[in-house]
Amino acid sequence: MAKSGTTYTCSACGASFSKWSGRCDGCGEWNTISEDTGLSAGPSSKGLGAKRGSTVTLTDLATQETPPPRTQSKVAELDRVLGGGLVPASAILVGGDPGIGKSTLLLQAAARFARTGLKTVYVSGEEASAQVRMRAQRLGLADAPVQLAADTNLRNILTTLEAEAPGLAIIDSIQTMWLDTVDSAPGSVSQVRAAAHELTTFAKRKGISVILVGHVTKEGQIAGPRVVEHMVDTVLYFEGERGHQFRILRAVKNRFGPADEIGVFEMTGKGLAEVTNPSALFLSERGEPSPGSVVFAGIEGTRPVLCEMQALVAPSPHSQARRTVVGWDGGRLAMILAVLEARCGVPFTGLDVYLNVAGGMKISEPAADLAVAAALLSAREDSALPADTVVFGEISLSGALRPAPQTENRLKEAQKLGFSSSIAPKGGKAQSAPGMTLKRFSDLTEFVGDVFGAG
Ligand code: TYD
Ligand code: MG
């Protein structure tokens, strides 16, 4: 047992220990554990004592709240991801790999917001003002009334923001900011946590919206403590493959709108361009129907998005066959392969399996299961599905197919893009869209038998 009252807390994950150690057992971070003498040291034996606090006003749930007036950037893809525009006094974190286009996106957003009349300050801790100006010129935004600063000292930045009182402040990036009250290097866990805390409380106190840029680690998380994600109102991830021009802005947390909403952009020579019809773009590279290629009718947030699943199945030269996935979950692929083998008698032993979601898209919807199974079977049997067919539906471990939500919307989008038939699970209430033939199956074996004549 430790001395009573002494607790050691990890600043990255918040785990408490009775002993100090160099590495946190909870999250594996180094040098994040320190002695905690604050409130989290456990209930004090003295309790709150005789000193009483003042009374907190209690209200009921029915008290009328007016929805916050949002400012729209008029970049529809960005406004949608924000839940309908920028909420005053909100704190937003935008994460993404280095070089993916965060600074470009935010400079463009800053220019748009500034042109709507919202006073906007862009603080760069990574580039000199001249570099930002040069980029603005290249993007054709040099005349936008954005105010620039290049600094990393947060105390000076906050003093400046307080005096200028903008409606929006963009901080690029949180890892470069440092507070003189914290005794560690910029980018360290305690600096990032302290800087994010100062900025988010400043946003609420002064009614200024702040957008923080955050780099992500190799594991795909925002570098620094997880607590930063809890501090802010909205967490957006800017993702994409380096080799592709598509970029996806994804809301993973949003206190003011739906999470899982996406905005699609294209990186061009003149910055990011909005993609208003992502399905058409994701399918634009599709050629003749070929074995292993299946179109998945998916839903991202509130919007249907069609994309192509590509599978390749080939005899493996290795003793242990390879399973490689891009844009989907590797565990989920293993599950689909196991279900195909155990329930439908289609073995993949001794075969290498590659799965790719075309266009650099990342899919997490369970409804992609059936499209993946179809792509795997089509590749294995070397038989292409008809080019006018879309596929969706969730597969359970028993091999049963579960209906996917928003069937109607998926079918409408497919029809809009010229597809005329679809393969989906039985059940659910949705009917086919007019002009679409709908093939429905209740389990995977039935689907395999009907479509591939095996089973
Ligand atoms: P940047 O916004 O600096 O990325 P981040 O802030 O996420 O690190 O984007 C850098 C990349 O974007 C760089 O590789 C060049 C490319 N780019 C374009 O293709 N077109 C453009 O108009 C701009 C400004 C950048
Ligand atoms: Mg940058």
PDB file of all heavy atoms in Angstrom, residues 294-317:
ATOM      1  N   VAL A 294     -16.732  -5.165 -57.070  1.00  0.00           N
ATOM      2  CA  VAL A 294     -18.139  -5.091 -56.707  1.00  0.00           C
ATOM      3  C   VAL A 294     -18.433  -3.686 -56.214  1.00  0.00           C
ATOM      4  O   VAL A 294     -17.637  -3.101 -55.477  1.00  0.00           O
ATOM      5  CB  VAL A 294     -18.461  -6.121 -55.590  1.00  0.00           C
ATOM      6  CG1 VAL A 294     -19.821  -5.854 -54.965  1.00  0.00           C
ATOM      7  CG2 VAL A 294     -18.420  -7.541 -56.142  1.00  0.00           C
ATOM      8  N   VAL A 295     -19.588  -3.113 -56.610  1.00  0.00           N
ATOM      9  CA  VAL A 295     -19.941  -1.771 -56.151  1.00  0.00           C
ATOM     10  C   VAL A 295     -20.791  -1.878 -54.892  1.00  0.00           C
ATOM     11  O   VAL A 295     -21.813  -2.549 -54.859  1.00  0.00           O
ATOM     12  CB  VAL A 295     -20.687  -0.984 -57.246  1.00  0.00           C
ATOM     13  CG1 VAL A 295     -21.108   0.377 -56.723  1.00  0.00           C
ATOM     14  CG2 VAL A 295     -19.789  -0.825 -58.466  1.00  0.00           C
ATOM     15  N   PHE A 296     -20.324  -1.197 -53.852  1.00  0.00           N
ATOM     16  CA  PHE A 296     -21.006  -1.197 -52.569  1.00  0.00           C
ATOM     17  C   PHE A 296     -21.818   0.088 -52.451  1.00  0.00           C
ATOM     18  O   PHE A 296     -21.301   1.184 -52.669  1.00  0.00           O
ATOM     19  CB  PHE A 296     -19.961  -1.280 -51.449  1.00  0.00           C
ATOM     20  CG  PHE A 296     -20.494  -0.941 -50.088  1.00  0.00           C
ATOM     21  CD1 PHE A 296     -21.611  -1.582 -49.580  1.00  0.00           C
ATOM     22  CD2 PHE A 296     -19.867   0.019 -49.308  1.00  0.00           C
ATOM     23  CE1 PHE A 296     -22.103  -1.264 -48.317  1.00  0.00           C
ATOM     24  CE2 PHE A 296     -20.351   0.341 -48.046  1.00  0.00           C
ATOM     25  CZ  PHE A 296     -21.471  -0.299 -47.558  1.00  0.00           C
ATOM     26  N   ALA A 297     -23.108  -0.068 -52.107  1.00  0.00           N
ATOM     27  CA  ALA A 297     -23.949   1.110 -51.895  1.00  0.00           C
ATOM     28  C   ALA A 297     -23.925   1.411 -50.407  1.00  0.00           C
ATOM     29  O   ALA A 297     -24.616   0.775 -49.622  1.00  0.00           O
ATOM     30  CB  ALA A 297     -25.363   0.851 -52.386  1.00  0.00           C
ATOM     31  N   GLY A 298     -23.110   2.358 -50.002  1.00  0.00           N
ATOM     32  CA  GLY A 298     -22.925   2.654 -48.580  1.00  0.00           C
ATOM     33  C   GLY A 298     -23.595   3.934 -48.157  1.00  0.00           C
ATOM     34  O   GLY A 298     -24.121   4.688 -48.977  1.00  0.00           O
ATOM     35  N   ILE A 299     -23.612   4.158 -46.836  1.00  0.00           N
ATOM     36  CA  ILE A 299     -24.120   5.408 -46.276  1.00  0.00           C
ATOM     37  C   ILE A 299     -23.009   5.990 -45.414  1.00  0.00           C
ATOM     38  O   ILE A 299     -22.464   5.303 -44.556  1.00  0.00           O
ATOM     39  CB  ILE A 299     -25.365   5.154 -45.381  1.00  0.00           C
ATOM     40  CG1 ILE A 299     -26.519   4.550 -46.165  1.00  0.00           C
ATOM     41  CG2 ILE A 299     -25.789   6.431 -44.664  1.00  0.00           C
ATOM     42  CD1 ILE A 299     -27.365   5.518 -46.948  1.00  0.00           C
ATOM     43  N   GLU A 300     -22.659   7.220 -45.653  1.00  0.00           N
ATOM     44  CA  GLU A 300     -21.677   7.893 -44.805  1.00  0.00           C
ATOM     45  C   GLU A 300     -22.383   9.077 -44.166  1.00  0.00           C
ATOM     46  O   GLU A 300     -22.717  10.035 -44.842  1.00  0.00           O
ATOM     47  CB  GLU A 300     -20.467   8.364 -45.622  1.00  0.00           C
ATOM     48  CG  GLU A 300     -19.587   7.250 -46.145  1.00  0.00           C
ATOM     49  CD  GLU A 300     -18.791   6.556 -45.031  1.00  0.00           C
ATOM     50  OE1 GLU A 300     -18.608   7.153 -43.949  1.00  0.00           O
ATOM     51  OE2 GLU A 300     -18.361   5.416 -45.257  1.00  0.00           O
ATOM     52  N   GLY A 301     -22.608   8.991 -42.869  1.00  0.00           N
ATOM     53  CA  GLY A 301     -23.340  10.062 -42.189  1.00  0.00           C
ATOM     54  C   GLY A 301     -24.756  10.086 -42.690  1.00  0.00           C
ATOM     55  O   GLY A 301     -25.489   9.106 -42.557  1.00  0.00           O
ATOM     56  N   THR A 302     -25.163  11.189 -43.322  1.00  0.00           N
ATOM     57  CA  THR A 302     -26.537  11.291 -43.790  1.00  0.00           C
ATOM     58  C   THR A 302     -26.622  11.079 -45.294  1.00  0.00           C
ATOM     59  O   THR A 302     -27.666  11.242 -45.881  1.00  0.00           O
ATOM     60  CB  THR A 302     -27.087  12.699 -43.492  1.00  0.00           C
ATOM     61  OG1 THR A 302     -26.161  13.657 -44.022  1.00  0.00           O
ATOM     62  CG2 THR A 302     -27.241  12.921 -42.013  1.00  0.00           C
ATOM     63  N   ARG A 303     -25.467  10.706 -45.911  1.00  0.00           N
ATOM     64  CA  ARG A 303     -25.430  10.726 -47.366  1.00  0.00           C
ATOM     65  C   ARG A 303     -25.055   9.371 -47.947  1.00  0.00           C
ATOM     66  O   ARG A 303     -24.130   8.728 -47.457  1.00  0.00           O
ATOM     67  CB  ARG A 303     -24.368  11.737 -47.769  1.00  0.00           C
ATOM     68  CG  ARG A 303     -24.513  12.216 -49.168  1.00  0.00           C
ATOM     69  CD  ARG A 303     -23.733  13.445 -49.398  1.00  0.00           C
ATOM     70  NE  ARG A 303     -22.393  13.382 -48.847  1.00  0.00           N
ATOM     71  CZ  ARG A 303     -21.397  14.133 -49.296  1.00  0.00           C
ATOM     72  NH1 ARG A 303     -21.612  14.952 -50.271  1.00  0.00           N
ATOM     73  NH2 ARG A 303     -20.217  14.067 -48.751  1.00  0.00           N
ATOM     74  N   PRO A 304     -25.781   8.914 -48.980  1.00  0.00           N
ATOM     75  CA  PRO A 304     -25.363   7.660 -49.613  1.00  0.00           C
ATOM     76  C   PRO A 304     -24.107   7.872 -50.458  1.00  0.00           C
ATOM     77  O   PRO A 304     -23.989   8.895 -51.123  1.00  0.00           O
ATOM     78  CB  PRO A 304     -26.552   7.292 -50.500  1.00  0.00           C
ATOM     79  CG  PRO A 304     -27.287   8.553 -50.725  1.00  0.00           C
ATOM     80  CD  PRO A 304     -27.000   9.474 -49.589  1.00  0.00           C
ATOM     81  N   VAL A 305     -23.169   6.941 -50.366  1.00  0.00           N
ATOM     82  CA  VAL A 305     -21.930   7.021 -51.135  1.00  0.00           C
ATOM     83  C   VAL A 305     -21.648   5.652 -51.748  1.00  0.00           C
ATOM     84  O   VAL A 305     -21.592   4.652 -51.040  1.00  0.00           O
ATOM     85  CB  VAL A 305     -20.736   7.441 -50.246  1.00  0.00           C
ATOM     86  CG1 VAL A 305     -19.443   7.359 -51.021  1.00  0.00           C
ATOM     87  CG2 VAL A 305     -20.921   8.842 -49.701  1.00  0.00           C
ATOM     88  N   LEU A 306     -21.501   5.625 -53.063  1.00  0.00           N
ATOM     89  CA  LEU A 306     -21.186   4.361 -53.732  1.00  0.00           C
ATOM     90  C   LEU A 306     -19.685   4.254 -53.921  1.00  0.00           C
ATOM     91  O   LEU A 306     -19.034   5.235 -54.270  1.00  0.00           O
ATOM     92  CB  LEU A 306     -21.860   4.321 -55.104  1.00  0.00           C
ATOM     93  CG  LEU A 306     -23.233   3.643 -55.177  1.00  0.00           C
ATOM     94  CD1 LEU A 306     -24.187   4.268 -54.196  1.00  0.00           C
ATOM     95  CD2 LEU A 306     -23.798   3.709 -56.570  1.00  0.00           C
ATOM     96  N   CYS A 307     -19.120   3.093 -53.664  1.00  0.00           N
ATOM     97  CA  CYS A 307     -17.706   2.936 -53.978  1.00  0.00           C
ATOM     98  C   CYS A 307     -17.415   1.484 -54.368  1.00  0.00           C
ATOM     99  O   CYS A 307     -18.226   0.591 -54.147  1.00  0.00           O
ATOM    100  CB  CYS A 307     -16.828   3.396 -52.835  1.00  0.00           C
ATOM    101  SG  CYS A 307     -17.150   2.544 -51.347  1.00  0.00           S
ATOM    102  N   GLU A 308     -16.241   1.309 -54.934  1.00  0.00           N
ATOM    103  CA  GLU A 308     -15.908   0.012 -55.503  1.00  0.00           C
ATOM    104  C   GLU A 308     -15.025  -0.785 -54.545  1.00  0.00           C
ATOM    105  O   GLU A 308     -14.019  -0.283 -54.045  1.00  0.00           O
ATOM    106  CB  GLU A 308     -15.169   0.230 -56.825  1.00  0.00           C
ATOM    107  CG  GLU A 308     -14.925  -1.042 -57.595  1.00  0.00           C
ATOM    108  CD  GLU A 308     -13.949  -0.831 -58.755  1.00  0.00           C
ATOM    109  OE1 GLU A 308     -13.523   0.317 -58.982  1.00  0.00           O
ATOM    110  OE2 GLU A 308     -13.612  -1.820 -59.407  1.00  0.00           O
ATOM    111  N   MET A 309     -15.431  -2.036 -54.288  1.00  0.00           N
ATOM    112  CA  MET A 309     -14.619  -2.958 -53.497  1.00  0.00           C
ATOM    113  C   MET A 309     -13.855  -3.834 -54.479  1.00  0.00           C
ATOM    114  O   MET A 309     -14.469  -4.445 -55.357  1.00  0.00           O
ATOM    115  CB  MET A 309     -15.511  -3.879 -52.660  1.00  0.00           C
ATOM    116  CG  MET A 309     -16.361  -3.161 -51.665  1.00  0.00           C
ATOM    117  SD  MET A 309     -15.304  -2.653 -50.329  1.00  0.00           S
ATOM    118  CE  MET A 309     -16.495  -2.172 -49.140  1.00  0.00           C
ATOM    119  N   GLN A 310     -12.544  -3.911 -54.301  1.00  0.00           N
ATOM    120  CA  GLN A 310     -11.749  -4.736 -55.211  1.00  0.00           C
ATOM    121  C   GLN A 310     -11.077  -5.850 -54.432  1.00  0.00           C
ATOM    122  O   GLN A 310     -10.445  -5.587 -53.415  1.00  0.00           O
ATOM    123  CB  GLN A 310     -10.669  -3.882 -55.875  1.00  0.00           C
ATOM    124  CG  GLN A 310     -11.217  -2.712 -56.661  1.00  0.00           C
ATOM    125  CD  GLN A 310     -10.126  -1.743 -57.062  1.00  0.00           C
ATOM    126  OE1 GLN A 310      -9.068  -1.696 -56.448  1.00  0.00           O
ATOM    127  NE2 GLN A 310     -10.385  -0.977 -58.108  1.00  0.00           N
ATOM    128  N   ALA A 311     -11.226  -7.089 -54.915  1.00  0.00           N
ATOM    129  CA  ALA A 311     -10.569  -8.210 -54.247  1.00  0.00           C
ATOM    130  C   ALA A 311      -9.713  -8.967 -55.247  1.00  0.00           C
ATOM    131  O   ALA A 311     -10.015  -9.011 -56.439  1.00  0.00           O
ATOM    132  CB  ALA A 311     -11.611  -9.149 -53.647  1.00  0.00           C
ATOM    133  N   LEU A 312      -8.614  -9.507 -54.726  1.00  0.00           N
ATOM    134  CA  LEU A 312      -7.771 -10.377 -55.537  1.00  0.00           C
ATOM    135  C   LEU A 312      -7.482 -11.621 -54.712  1.00  0.00           C
ATOM    136  O   LEU A 312      -7.082 -11.513 -53.552  1.00  0.00           O
ATOM    137  CB  LEU A 312      -6.468  -9.660 -55.909  1.00  0.00           C
ATOM    138  CG  LEU A 312      -5.456 -10.490 -56.689  1.00  0.00           C
ATOM    139  CD1 LEU A 312      -5.974 -10.807 -58.078  1.00  0.00           C
ATOM    140  CD2 LEU A 312      -4.123  -9.750 -56.799  1.00  0.00           C
ATOM    141  N   VAL A 313      -7.733 -12.784 -55.298  1.00  0.00           N
ATOM    142  CA  VAL A 313      -7.488 -14.042 -54.600  1.00  0.00           C
ATOM    143  C   VAL A 313      -6.563 -14.873 -55.486  1.00  0.00           C
ATOM    144  O   VAL A 313      -6.868 -15.108 -56.659  1.00  0.00           O
ATOM    145  CB  VAL A 313      -8.818 -14.796 -54.340  1.00  0.00           C
ATOM    146  CG1 VAL A 313      -8.568 -16.155 -53.723  1.00  0.00           C
ATOM    147  CG2 VAL A 313      -9.731 -13.969 -53.440  1.00  0.00           C
ATOM    148  N   ALA A 314      -5.412 -15.254 -54.936  1.00  0.00           N
ATOM    149  CA  ALA A 314      -4.436 -15.979 -55.748  1.00  0.00           C
ATOM    150  C   ALA A 314      -3.752 -17.046 -54.915  1.00  0.00           C
ATOM    151  O   ALA A 314      -3.615 -16.868 -53.704  1.00  0.00           O
ATOM    152  CB  ALA A 314      -3.393 -14.993 -56.283  1.00  0.00           C
ATOM    153  N   PRO A 315      -3.331 -18.163 -55.544  1.00  0.00           N
ATOM    154  CA  PRO A 315      -2.634 -19.208 -54.780  1.00  0.00           C
ATOM    155  C   PRO A 315      -1.414 -18.612 -54.082  1.00  0.00           C
ATOM    156  O   PRO A 315      -0.687 -17.816 -54.671  1.00  0.00           O
ATOM    157  CB  PRO A 315      -2.206 -20.211 -55.856  1.00  0.00           C
ATOM    158  CG  PRO A 315      -3.074 -19.937 -57.022  1.00  0.00           C
ATOM    159  CD  PRO A 315      -3.464 -18.498 -56.958  1.00  0.00           C
ATOM    160  N   SER A 316      -1.228 -18.998 -52.832  1.00  0.00           N
ATOM    161  CA  SER A 316      -0.152 -18.390 -52.053  1.00  0.00           C
ATOM    162  C   SER A 316       1.149 -19.176 -52.175  1.00  0.00           C
ATOM    163  O   SER A 316       1.159 -20.386 -52.026  1.00  0.00           O
ATOM    164  CB  SER A 316      -0.564 -18.331 -50.593  1.00  0.00           C
ATOM    165  OG  SER A 316       0.480 -17.796 -49.837  1.00  0.00           O
ATOM    166  N   PRO A 317       2.250 -18.460 -52.460  1.00  0.00           N
ATOM    167  CA  PRO A 317       3.548 -19.133 -52.482  1.00  0.00           C
ATOM    168  C   PRO A 317       4.120 -19.294 -51.069  1.00  0.00           C
ATOM    169  O   PRO A 317       5.147 -19.926 -50.879  1.00  0.00           O
ATOM    170  CB  PRO A 317       4.414 -18.180 -53.307  1.00  0.00           C
ATOM    171  CG  PRO A 317       3.798 -16.840 -53.124  1.00  0.00           C
ATOM    172  CD  PRO A 317       2.352 -17.041 -52.813  1.00  0.00           C
TER     173      PRO A 317
END
